[in-house]
Amino acid sequence: MTHFHLLRFNGEGVWESCSAQLQASAWHHSRTKVTTASQLCLGLEGKLLQTLSLIQFGTLNLLGDREGEEMDPRDRSPLKHFVVAKKKINDVFEHLLGYVQEGSEFVKDTCQKDSLEQIAEKAQLEEIEAYTDKLAVIKEVLARRHMKVAFFGRTSNGKSTVINAMLRDRVLPSGIGHTTNCFLSVEGTDEDKAYLKTEGSEEEKSIKTVNQLAHALHMDERLDAGCLVKVFWPKTKCALLRDDLVLMDSPGTDVTTQLDSWIDKFCLDADVFVLVANSESTLMNTEKHFFHKVNERLSKPNIFILNNRWDASASEPEYMEDVRKQHMDRCVNFLVEELKVVDKEQAPNHIFFVSAKEVLNSRMQRAQGMPETGGALAEGFQDRLKEFQSFERTFEECISQSAVKTKFEQHTIRAKQITESVKDIMDQIHIAAAEKRVASLEEREYLMDRLEFVRNQLNLLIEDIKKKITIVTEQVEKQVSNAMAEEICRLSVLIDEFHTDFHPSPHVLKIYKSELLNHVEKGMGKNLAFRCSDAVNASVQSSQKDMIECLQPLLPPAVQSQLHMLIPYRKFDLSYDLNCATLCADFQENIEFQFSLGWTVLVSRFLGPANARRALMLIDQNLQLSATTPTGGAVAQAAPTRAPVAQGQSQAVMAQEELMMSMAANLASLTSRTSMSVVIVGGVVWRTIGWRVIALSMSLYGLLYLYERLTWTTKAKERALKKQFVDYATEKLHMIVSFTSSNCSHQVQQEIASTFARLCQQVDITQQELESEISRLTMKIQELEKVQTRSKALRHKATELEKQLENFTSQYLQPQN
């Protein structure tokens, strides 16, 4: 005993390993039964596993060679005659249906279109549509690209095994534990993988093993005995499926009483019926009853009877001939006397005694390179194998002799009649199109002239109106600019009109300035509107009226009468958006008391505002520097402190130099303005009058300071703030005069342009209507030309189709000498 490693496919796409003890002899391996490559394989070595994988996918060279030897005869089988004839008649009917559909669409379009009225009649359309429906039904019948063989019998009689034996592979579940619970059709596919489709679904479910197929069928609760599952098997793995043949397995005839629905759904299009009986028993009433119902629906169906499991007779060879004769007599009587589908001489050729399981195992062993007769086979296997092969040959001959003539002859005759009838309709349509084409050409010429006139006039008016719009906008810009300049000049008056509570506290000041800005915004806007709005509105309405009068002649009369509704008159108001809140957002008031003869004021007057600020800041820095740096402490300070002090001193020296330069410049200015003479006169007066004058001057200086200090009240602060705001706002508003006037002129331009755009839109609609009408007439002329062209072409196509039908009749339907 030698231990080997087995690989087993679990049906869910996973290889499982297990251990087993097998006899290590080549002969034992050659006699071992192998179901399918996906169910069980011997993993003796990597090479054997690779070979087994090749067997699974059907690419083993040895198997391909042996299959090729078996396929060559099938390529010459009688089934090929049917395949070729079916392809040709399908092509002819496809062309014929396309031709009639084309003619039907042609006549339908001609009848339905108003521009093509009175060219085709409804009676002609109804006639061709009737032909279309008839051909569609015929084409649907011919669309079956397969001959169909239906296998029936009681449960567990071996129907699936017979199909597997004919396919030379274990395609359908069979054997112990596998009972077909629904209809299964097996047909070929050009793909390299097997898959199935359930009834009512187009989903392709992949099946790699028989176990997967069996599992899918039993787990789907929706499948019952009346459902159909289509199994698509690669044609490369089965030569029989290459001949466009469908093998349909069925549940047992004893599982349901709804035989009528079975026949209507699955049997009416079957070419051959195979009754798989159990040779260990006789024909049952359920089987006979089913085929009696089939015989009632179909006229003399082709029926074969297979007495399966005939290998059981090998155990009692002395009774074999008697049992065979008994089965034969009963089957002949059933076919001849009861069904009356064949005569007594032909009946034995429809009855066979086989063992499908033996044939299947033998063919699968041969496909795997093992001896065909290996294994435990019952005596007489070769005879049973030959009888199964005889059944296959007879079955093919039966289909080839009857299928072509019975299915194609009547359809061919009907096709000739339809083709001839369609010819007469086309000639009547050609003549009626010419007169309408001439009238349409004349009408189109007139509309094209009108469209050209409208386009030329519109282009001229556009240039003229653009110039008018430019003139009006320039006038508005100038008018608004002048009005705004005048309002800025009287800004102080507007601000003096503002009255509200005032207090120098920051919170109250913030509210005060906000209300002041709103007052200025509203007041200037109101004043500008009073100065400009009426004149601008009159100018806009005048321009709009001129545009309407210019464009009105280009519009249709119906639009001219409704023009006042499409473009109503409305008053135009300018929007003066000064945005004072943003414009004066950085305004900072100065309402602190400042003596008119004080140091700060005098410095500002002497040096100017900018230089005065710098000089005052420099003096403050020098005072702070002197206060923080004692005279004797400079030596005792640490090194890190010296650097900032030295830096501060350096900056102070630079600032002093700048101040001295400024003072020198102002002194020179003072000298140049004869101020020096005043100083000299003052010295002379002092020398003349003395200290009394000085004392009197100081007293007056003090009284002036006291007066100004006492009069610096809240009202004075408010007046100072307003004066400062007037100066600040005047400067800012002057900056936006050009922008505001441009904005107003842009508003006027948009208003006039929008009116002109609406008018042009109406003209464009008129042009579009003219273009649409011209396009409609052009299409009508083209359609009329197509009517003439297509009617001729359809007649020529009918002639070609008649030739094709005659060729098919002479080649496939007439007796060959």
Side-chain angles (χ1 to χ4, degrees), residues 34-304:
V34 181
T35 56
T36 62
S38 59
Q39 284 182 311
L40 182 63
C41 64
L42 291 177
L44 300 180
E45 293 179 355
K47 183 176 181 180
L48 184 58
L49 181 59
Q50 181 181 3
T51 304
L52 189 58
S53 300
L54 292 174
I55 293 175
Q56 180 184 0
F57 291 97
T59 59
L60 189 62
N61 293 334
L62 178 60
L63 179 58
D65 295 340
R66 299 183 68 89
E67 286 181 350
E69 294 174 0
E70 296 175 1
M71 292 174 192
D72 289 341
R74 287 197 176 276
D75 290 339
R76 300 186 296 269
S77 69
L79 296 179
K80 293 297 182 183
H81 179 74
F82 176 85
V83 173
V84 175
K86 187 125 184 180
K87 184 179 183 304
K88 288 189 176 182
I89 194 62
N90 277 334
D91 291 341
V92 172
F93 266 88
E94 184 174 357
H95 294 157
L96 179 57
L97 180 58
Y99 162 72
V100 176
Q101 286 177 342
E102 184 180 359
S104 176
E105 289 296 327
F106 166 63
V107 177
K108 184 178 181 181
D109 292 342
T110 306
C111 288
Q112 290 181 348
K113 291 182 179 179
D114 296 336
S115 59
L116 301 178
E117 60 183 356
Q118 297 179 355
I119 294 179
E121 299 178 357
K122 290 186 178 180
Q124 296 172 337
L125 175 62
E126 293 174 356
E127 182 179 356
I128 295 183
E129 286 180 344
Y131 291 151
T132 303
D133 296 337
K134 291 178 182 178
L135 286 174
V137 173
I138 296 174
K139 187 176 182 297
E140 184 178 356
V141 174
L142 295 178
R144 284 190 304 110
R145 301 178 61 88
H146 309 284
M147 292 172 288
K148 186 174 181 180
V149 184
F151 292 80
F152 287 93
R154 289 185 294 114
T155 305
S156 300
N157 275 10
K159 300 182 293 296
S160 302
T161 306
V162 171
I163 295 175
N164 289 338
M166 296 177 69
L167 297 176
R168 300 170 183 267
D169 197 355
R170 201 175 293 273
V171 177
L172 299 180
S174 62
I176 299 176
H178 296 293
T179 300
T180 304
N181 61 342
C182 63
F183 281 84
L184 295 174
S185 68
V186 183
E187 56 186 285
T189 177
D190 294 328
E191 299 182 15
D192 57 354
K193 63 179 180 179
Y195 60 91
L196 64 84
K197 290 183 180 180
T198 57
E199 187 173 353
S201 174
E202 292 297 325
E203 180 184 0
E204 296 182 0
K205 300 179 181 179
S206 177
I207 50 172
K208 297 182 179 179
T209 66
V210 178
N211 285 340
Q212 276 189 327
L213 176 58
H215 180 75
L217 296 177
H218 285 281
M219 291 301 295
D220 197 337
E221 299 179 354
R222 297 172 300 175
L223 299 178
D224 54 19
C227 293
L228 173 64
V229 177
K230 294 183 179 181
V231 179
F232 295 87
W233 199 256
K235 293 181 180 180
T236 56
K237 294 184 178 181
C238 181
L240 187 63
L241 296 179
R242 298 174 196 171
D243 293 333
D244 294 337
L245 184 66
V246 176
L247 306 177
M248 189 179 69
D249 195 5
S250 64
T253 55
D254 52 342
V255 301
T256 183
T257 58
Q258 300 178 354
L259 299 180
D260 292 333
S261 62
W262 281 15
I263 295 172
D264 293 337
K265 191 173 182 180
F266 304 109
C267 300
L268 295 182
D269 58 345
D271 300 302
V272 172
F273 293 88
V274 178
L275 171 58
V276 181
N278 189 351
S279 61
E280 295 178 333
S281 63
T282 185
L283 290 176
M284 297 296 180
N285 288 331
T286 55
E287 298 167 326
K288 291 183 177 182
H289 181 62
F290 175 79
F291 278 95
H292 274 294
K293 287 185 172 292
V294 171
N295 194 34
E296 293 175 0
R297 301 292 181 87
L298 301 177
S299 176
K300 290 188 177 182
N302 295 315
I303 300 175
F304 290 85

Side-chain angles (χ1 to χ4, degrees), residues 613-625:
R613 277 195 299 270
R614 294 172 60 188
L616 294 174
M617 290 175 61
L618 180 59
I619 294 172
D620 292 341
Q621 290 179 2
N622 290 334
L623 292 175
Q624 293 176 4
L625 186 61

Side-chain angles (χ1 to χ4, degrees), residues 436-444 777 780-781 784:
K436 287 185 175 293
R437 180 174 175 273
V438 173
S440 299
L441 285 171
E442 294 176 354
E443 184 179 359
R444 185 180 65 173
L777 290 173
K780 179 180 178 180
I781 293 169
L784 291 171

